[in-house]
Amino acid sequence: MKSLEQRIEAHIDELAQYTETPNHGVTRVVYTEQDTLAKEYMKKQMEELGLKIEEDEIGNLFGTWKGTDRKLPQVWTGSHLDAPTHGGKFDGVVGVFGSLEAIRILQQENFKPKHDIILVVFVAEEPTRFGIGCLGSRALTGMIVPADLESWKDKDHISLKEVLLQNGRNPEKVLSEELAPEKIKNFIELHVEQGAVLETEQKEIGIVDDIAAPTDIQLIIHGEQRHAGSTPMSIRKDPMPAAAEVILLVEKLTKNNISETSVGTVGKMVITPGASNVIPEQVELTIDIRDVDANKKKRIITELSKEITTILDERDLSYQFSIKSDDVPSRMNEEVVQFIKKSCEEVGCSAKVMASGAYHDALIMSRRVPANMIFVPSQNGISHAPTEFTATAEIATGIKVLARTLEKLSK
Ligand code: GLV
Ligand code: MN
Ligand code: MN
């Protein structure tokens, strides 16, 4: 029989093979072949453990370990399998195979849960394809409205609705996927920290109390496409220098002058047509602003929008500023934070209560049901990069803490 450590390494190696960018990290985008293959692998693993498999219309995968009293609300555990462009081998998957292995530990101990335990694999936690993260948990919490199906588009301008149809899925049904919150007792997500707090403080487990939430903005600046050699500087309508000013503005506004916990990122820019000797016709950029303080984040967005207007008006450029998603930071369930502390004592590991700068499906789920997270360290605090790394022993500790916590919640 394989050890827990051997199983962890086998899952990591197997899942890392499903990537669109071999040798350049893991890229697994929702509804692509690689994403489907990763899901198939997990489905098989879940079946081998005797879980009953179901998939909903948007593509969330569920594996049920039946409890002895099926009328009781369920205990959910899981995370996501998709990965951002050139991401790592650990983000998301640790919480998916980690939940599987936590269930295996409990089964091997002959534990019989009273409540159903559901292993959930959320679809599209990363915003890679549609610019919006957590599609699966948003569907389950009733946070997708009909207009979103049309307005959320991928890089080829294909809407979520069309993509669902192409994949043989029913968009109408996606809208009615919302779960009755009373059906779920708890949701608990194991994840890599993606920051350096645990490593710096030499703690084995992070117990999350707050999750910072992003506001995702799309800014399209329209210019006038002309020749780079023959157009004098005085008559240009060039969207690129304007974009540069906006990028510096994002840095200025999030660098401590309004909030100590805010962060701001311009991670994606699309320049059209994108040629060295052409003044661009258009520049599109994404702006990701996050904070654990909802009011301060709001002030930053208001200031950002005001100053962008000034910059672009002065340059006589038209633009569209659209808020694609605007999530509120969330607190985790306090009672379960105490259960996780107790689980850490039982496992014999050190722990720290901490905030999460990254967002997770737990952020979305927490709007409807008690949600919590367990973190394991990330080497050098690196994530969303091919160099993301967490040692097997550290993941094993996280899985053991998860198992002890699931036991408490489901007995
Ligand atoms: C999730 O992947 C995030 O961007 O925080
Ligand atoms: Mn991620
Ligand atoms: Mn993640």
Side-chain angles (χ1 to χ4, degrees):
M1 204 170 70
K2 278 192 195 161
S3 68
L4 174 60
E5 285 73 14
Q6 285 168 328
R7 286 187 181 282
I8 291 169
E9 285 172 8
H11 291 310
I12 291 169
D13 290 348
E14 175 78 25
L15 286 164
Q17 288 177 29
Y18 305 122
T19 172
E20 286 150 46
T21 53
N23 306 320
H24 297 283
V26 181
T27 305
R28 211 158 36 226
V29 181
V30 61
Y31 306 134
T32 60
E33 190 191 356
Q34 297 306 316
D35 192 46
T36 307
L37 288 171
K39 267 171 78 177
E40 287 302 322
Y41 168 75
M42 271 319 297
K43 237 189 240 181
K44 211 166 139 254
Q45 294 290 316
M46 281 151 74
E47 267 163 2
E48 279 174 21
L49 216 58
L51 308 187
K52 180 171 161 270
I53 310 292
E54 283 161 291
E55 183 168 337
D56 67 8
E57 205 61 24
I58 198 162
N60 294 312
L61 193 62
F62 307 94
T64 302
W65 183 19
K66 287 183 193 157
T68 53
D69 188 349
R70 306 224 48 221
K71 291 189 297 298
L72 293 177
Q74 302 163 337
V75 174
W76 284 34
T77 178
S79 192
H80 63 98
L81 285 178
D82 64 318
T85 310
H86 299 181
K89 296 181 187 175
F90 301 84
D91 176 3
V93 301
V94 161
V96 174
F97 72 68
S99 296
L100 179 95
E101 294 306 329
I103 291 174
R104 193 190 313 275
I105 288 174
L106 293 174
Q107 289 186 348
Q108 284 171 350
E109 292 170 354
N110 274 323
F111 172 69
K112 301 270 178 279
K114 236 168 123 179
H115 299 253
D116 283 3
I117 295 182
I118 312 286
L119 196 173
V120 54
V121 182
F122 293 107
V123 78
E125 189 268 352
E126 303 290 353
T128 323
R129 182 153 186 183
F130 296 102
I132 308 284
C134 301
L135 290 189
S137 47
R138 283 182 204 279
L140 290 169
T141 50
M143 283 168 57
I144 300 183
V145 299
D148 297 333
L149 292 178
E150 311 267 358
S151 66
W152 293 348
K153 295 195 169 132
D154 67 10
K155 66 176 185 345
D156 300 317
H157 306 285
I158 306 177
S159 68
L160 173 59
K161 184 174 178 176
E162 287 169 86
V163 172
L164 287 167
L165 289 168
Q166 283 170 5
N167 281 275
R169 299 175 187 273
N170 178 347
E172 293 303 317
K173 231 173 136 193
V174 164
L175 294 172
S176 57
E177 221 131 55
E178 185 175 355
L179 283 167
E182 60 274 15
K183 271 193 164 168
I184 305 176
K185 180 172 173 278
N186 297 93
F187 170 59
I188 180 142
E189 182 169 7
L190 172 69
H191 205 281
V192 289
E193 181 202 330
Q194 307 181 281
V197 174
L198 295 175
E199 189 181 66
T200 308
E201 301 201 13
Q202 300 201 343
K203 300 283 189 212
E204 291 163 282
I205 292 291
I207 307 173
V208 178
D209 56 353
D210 278 320
I211 304 184
T215 298
D216 287 312
I217 297 161
Q218 180 196 48
L219 177 68
I220 302 177
I221 309 173
H222 304 283
E224 186 181 32
Q225 184 177 337
R226 290 178 70 141
H227 195 289
S230 55
T231 313
M233 296 306 282
S234 58
I235 68 159
R236 293 179 182 218
K237 282 191 158 191
D238 186 346
M240 277 302 273
E245 278 198 64
V246 171
I247 294 167
L248 291 174
L249 173 66
V250 169
E251 185 187 46
K252 184 188 88 181
L253 290 177
T254 49
K255 226 175 168 176
N256 276 346
N257 59 351
I258 297 178
S259 167
E260 279 183 10
T261 44
S262 60
V263 288
T265 308
V266 174
K268 191 173 155 193
M269 243 169 119
V270 182
I271 303 164
T272 311
S276 64
N277 59 351
V278 180
I279 298 166
E281 180 213 329
Q282 177 179 300
V283 177
E284 177 187 331
L285 35 119
T286 59
I287 306 172
D288 174 318
I289 309 278
R290 309 192 189 197
D291 207 326
V292 282
D293 185 320
N295 289 328
K296 287 183 178 161
K297 186 173 73 154
K298 216 169 177 176
R299 272 177 55 203
I300 292 169
I301 307 292
T302 308
E303 191 56 34
L304 180 73
S305 150
K306 212 174 85 199
E307 292 195 35
I308 285 178
T309 305
T310 309
I311 292 169
L312 299 178
D313 283 355
E314 269 173 17
R315 289 177 172 272
D316 196 22
L317 296 169
S318 63
Y319 65 96
Q320 288 149 266
F321 178 96
S322 339
I323 295 184
K324 307 279 285 181
S325 66
D326 188 19
D327 291 305
V328 266
S330 170
R331 269 197 89 68
M332 302 287 91
N333 182 274
E334 181 50 37
E335 191 190 1
V336 179
V337 165
Q338 300 309 323
F339 286 171
I340 302 171
K341 273 188 194 162
K342 182 99 200 325
S343 299
C344 290
E345 283 165 25
E346 288 163 8
V347 171
C349 60
S350 56
K352 178 186 169 63
V353 176
M354 60 179 291
S356 170
Y359 69 72
H360 301 280
D361 291 300
L363 169 76
I364 306 297
M365 294 300 282
S366 71
R367 295 207 179 162
R368 296 281 189 280
V369 301
N372 288 83
M373 293 196 75
I374 297 170
F375 275 174
V376 289
S378 293
Q379 191 178 72
N380 298 322
I382 293 176
S383 183
H384 282 187
T387 46
E388 185 178 87
F389 179 76
T390 301
T392 304
E394 294 173 318
I395 299 172
T397 303
I399 292 172
K400 288 175 194 165
V401 172
L402 176 62
R404 298 284 57 96
T405 308
L406 289 175
E407 179 190 29
K408 290 182 195 39
L409 296 173
S410 65
K411 73 180 181 195

Coordinates of all heavy atoms in Angstrom, one line a residue, residues 195-233:
G195 N 1.7 33.0 -0.4 CA 2.4 34.2 0.1 C 3.5 33.6 1.0 O 3.6 32.4 1.1
A196 N 4.2 34.5 1.8 CA 5.3 34.0 2.5 C 5.2 34.1 4.1 O 6.1 34.0 4.8 CB 6.6 34.8 2.1
V197 N 3.9 34.3 4.5 CA 3.7 34.5 6.0 C 4.2 33.2 6.8 O 4.9 33.3 7.7 CB 2.3 34.9 6.3 CG1 2.0 34.9 7.8 CG2 1.9 36.2 5.6
L198 N 3.7 32.1 6.3 CA 4.0 30.9 7.1 C 5.5 30.5 7.1 O 6.0 30.2 8.1 CB 3.1 29.7 6.5 CG 1.6 29.8 6.7 CD1 0.9 28.6 6.0 CD2 1.2 29.8 8.2
E199 N 6.0 30.7 5.9 CA 7.5 30.4 5.8 C 8.3 31.3 6.7 O 9.2 30.9 7.4 CB 7.9 30.5 4.3 CG 9.3 30.1 4.1 CD 9.7 30.2 2.6 OE1 9.7 31.4 2.1 OE2 9.8 29.2 1.9
T200 N 8.0 32.6 6.6 CA 8.7 33.6 7.4 C 8.5 33.3 8.9 O 9.5 33.4 9.7 CB 8.2 35.0 7.1 OG1 8.2 35.2 5.7 CG2 9.0 36.1 7.8
E201 N 7.3 33.0 9.3 CA 7.1 32.8 10.8 C 7.3 31.3 11.2 O 7.0 31.0 12.3 CB 5.7 33.3 11.1 CG 5.5 34.7 10.7 CD 4.4 35.4 11.5 OE1 3.8 34.8 12.4 OE2 4.0 36.5 11.1
Q202 N 7.7 30.5 10.2 CA 8.0 29.1 10.5 C 6.8 28.4 11.1 O 7.0 27.7 12.2 CB 9.3 29.0 11.3 CG 10.5 29.6 10.6 CD 11.8 29.0 11.1 OE1 11.9 28.5 12.2 NE2 12.8 29.2 10.3
K203 N 5.7 28.5 10.5 CA 4.5 27.8 11.0 C 4.1 26.8 9.9 O 4.2 27.1 8.7 CB 3.3 28.8 11.2 CG 3.6 29.9 12.2 CD 3.5 29.4 13.6 CE 3.6 30.5 14.6 NZ 4.2 30.2 15.9
E204 N 3.5 25.7 10.4 CA 3.2 24.6 9.4 C 1.8 24.8 8.8 O 1.6 24.4 7.6 CB 3.2 23.3 10.1 CG 4.6 22.9 10.5 CD 4.7 21.8 11.6 OE1 4.4 22.1 12.8 OE2 4.9 20.7 11.2
I205 N 0.9 25.4 9.5 CA -0.5 25.6 9.0 C -1.0 27.0 9.2 O -0.8 27.6 10.2 CB -1.4 24.6 9.8 CG1 -1.1 23.1 9.5 CG2 -2.9 24.9 9.6 CD1 -1.5 22.7 8.1
G206 N -1.7 27.5 8.2 CA -2.4 28.8 8.3 C -3.9 28.5 8.5 O -4.4 27.7 7.8
I207 N -4.4 29.2 9.4 CA -5.9 29.1 9.6 C -6.5 30.4 9.2 O -6.2 31.5 9.8 CB -6.3 28.8 11.1 CG1 -5.5 27.5 11.6 CG2 -7.8 28.6 11.2 CD1 -5.6 27.2 13.0
V208 N -7.2 30.4 8.1 CA -7.6 31.7 7.5 C -8.8 32.3 8.3 O -9.7 31.6 8.6 CB -8.0 31.5 6.0 CG1 -8.5 32.8 5.4 CG2 -6.8 31.0 5.3
D209 N -8.7 33.6 8.6 CA -9.8 34.3 9.2 C -10.5 35.3 8.3 O -11.7 35.4 8.3 CB -9.4 34.9 10.6 CG -8.3 35.9 10.5 OD1 -7.7 36.0 9.4 OD2 -8.0 36.6 11.5
D210 N -9.7 36.0 7.4 CA -10.2 36.9 6.5 C -9.8 36.6 5.1 O -8.6 36.2 4.9 CB -9.6 38.3 6.7 CG -10.3 39.1 7.9 OD1 -11.6 39.0 7.9 OD2 -9.6 39.7 8.7
I211 N -10.6 36.8 4.1 CA -10.1 36.7 2.7 C -10.3 38.1 2.0 O -11.4 38.6 2.0 CB -10.9 35.6 1.9 CG1 -10.8 34.3 2.6 CG2 -10.3 35.5 0.5 CD1 -11.5 33.1 1.8
A212 N -9.2 38.6 1.4 CA -9.3 39.8 0.7 C -10.0 39.5 -0.6 O -10.0 38.4 -1.1 CB -7.9 40.3 0.3
A213 N -10.7 40.6 -1.1 CA -11.5 40.3 -2.3 C -11.1 41.2 -3.5 O -10.8 42.4 -3.2 CB -13.0 40.5 -2.0
P214 N -11.1 40.7 -4.7 CA -10.7 41.6 -5.8 C -11.9 42.4 -6.4 O -13.0 41.9 -6.4 CB -10.2 40.6 -6.8 CG -11.0 39.3 -6.5 CD -11.4 39.4 -5.1
T215 N -11.5 43.5 -7.0 CA -12.4 44.2 -7.9 C -11.7 44.1 -9.2 O -10.5 44.5 -9.3 CB -12.7 45.7 -7.5 OG1 -13.3 45.7 -6.3 CG2 -13.5 46.4 -8.5
D216 N -12.3 43.5 -10.2 CA -11.7 43.3 -11.5 C -12.2 44.3 -12.5 O -13.5 44.4 -12.7 CB -11.8 41.9 -12.1 CG -11.0 40.9 -11.3 OD1 -9.8 41.2 -11.1 OD2 -11.5 39.9 -10.8
I217 N -11.4 45.2 -13.1 CA -11.8 46.2 -14.0 C -11.2 46.0 -15.4 O -10.0 45.5 -15.5 CB -11.3 47.6 -13.4 CG1 -12.0 47.9 -12.1 CG2 -11.6 48.7 -14.4 CD1 -11.3 48.9 -11.3
Q218 N -12.0 46.3 -16.4 CA -11.5 46.3 -17.8 C -11.5 47.7 -18.3 O -12.5 48.4 -18.2 CB -12.4 45.4 -18.6 CG -11.9 45.3 -20.1 CD -13.0 44.8 -21.0 OE1 -14.2 45.3 -20.9 NE2 -12.7 43.8 -21.8
L219 N -10.3 48.2 -18.7 CA -10.3 49.5 -19.3 C -9.9 49.4 -20.7 O -8.8 48.8 -21.1 CB -9.2 50.3 -18.5 CG -9.0 51.8 -19.0 CD1 -10.3 52.7 -18.8 CD2 -7.8 52.4 -18.3
I220 N -10.7 50.0 -21.6 CA -10.3 50.0 -23.1 C -10.1 51.5 -23.4 O -11.0 52.3 -23.3 CB -11.5 49.4 -23.9 CG1 -11.7 47.9 -23.5 CG2 -11.1 49.4 -25.4 CD1 -12.8 47.2 -24.2
I221 N -8.9 51.8 -23.9 CA -8.6 53.2 -24.3 C -8.5 53.2 -25.9 O -7.8 52.4 -26.5 CB -7.3 53.6 -23.7 CG1 -7.2 53.4 -22.2 CG2 -7.0 55.1 -24.0 CD1 -5.8 53.6 -21.6
H222 N -9.3 54.1 -26.4 CA -9.4 54.1 -27.9 C -8.4 55.2 -28.4 O -8.4 56.4 -27.9 CB -10.8 54.4 -28.4 CG -11.8 53.4 -27.9 ND1 -11.9 52.2 -28.5 CD2 -12.7 53.5 -26.9 CE1 -12.9 51.5 -27.8 NE2 -13.3 52.3 -26.9
G223 N -7.6 54.9 -29.4 CA -6.7 55.9 -30.0 C -7.0 56.1 -31.5 O -8.1 55.8 -31.9
E224 N -6.0 56.6 -32.2 CA -6.2 56.7 -33.6 C -5.0 56.0 -34.3 O -3.8 56.4 -34.1 CB -6.2 58.2 -34.0 CG -6.5 58.4 -35.5 CD -6.5 59.8 -35.9 OE1 -5.8 60.6 -35.3 OE2 -7.3 60.2 -36.8
Q225 N -5.3 55.0 -35.0 CA -4.2 54.2 -35.6 C -3.6 54.9 -36.8 O -4.3 55.3 -37.7 CB -4.8 52.8 -36.1 CG -3.7 51.9 -36.7 CD -4.3 50.6 -37.1 OE1 -5.4 50.2 -36.6 NE2 -3.6 49.9 -38.0
R226 N -2.3 55.1 -36.7 CA -1.5 55.9 -37.8 C -0.1 55.4 -37.9 O 0.4 54.6 -37.1 CB -1.6 57.4 -37.5 CG -2.9 58.0 -37.6 CD -2.9 59.5 -37.3 NE -2.2 60.2 -38.3 CZ -2.6 61.4 -38.7 NH1 -3.7 62.0 -38.2 NH2 -1.9 62.1 -39.6
H227 N 0.6 56.0 -38.8 CA 2.0 55.6 -39.1 C 2.9 56.1 -38.0 O 2.9 57.3 -37.6 CB 2.4 56.1 -40.5 CG 3.6 55.5 -41.0 ND1 4.9 55.7 -40.5 CD2 3.8 54.6 -42.0 CE1 5.8 55.1 -41.2 NE2 5.1 54.4 -42.1
A228 N 3.8 55.2 -37.5 CA 4.7 55.6 -36.4 C 5.9 56.5 -36.9 O 6.5 57.2 -36.1 CB 5.4 54.3 -35.8
G229 N 6.1 56.6 -38.2 CA 7.2 57.4 -38.7 C 6.8 58.8 -39.1 O 7.4 59.8 -38.8
S230 N 5.6 58.8 -39.8 CA 5.2 60.1 -40.4 C 4.2 60.9 -39.7 O 3.8 62.0 -40.1 CB 4.7 59.7 -41.8 OG 3.6 58.8 -41.6
T231 N 3.8 60.4 -38.5 CA 2.8 61.2 -37.7 C 3.5 62.0 -36.6 O 4.1 61.4 -35.7 CB 1.8 60.2 -37.0 OG1 1.3 59.3 -38.0 CG2 0.6 61.0 -36.4
P232 N 3.5 63.3 -36.7 CA 4.2 64.1 -35.7 C 3.6 63.9 -34.3 O 2.4 63.6 -34.2 CB 3.9 65.6 -36.1 CG 3.3 65.5 -37.5 CD 2.8 64.1 -37.7
M233 N 4.5 64.1 -33.3 CA 4.0 63.8 -31.9 C 2.8 64.7 -31.5 O 2.0 64.3 -30.8 CB 5.2 64.1 -30.9 CG 6.4 63.1 -31.1 SD 5.9 61.4 -31.0 CE 5.7 61.1 -29.3

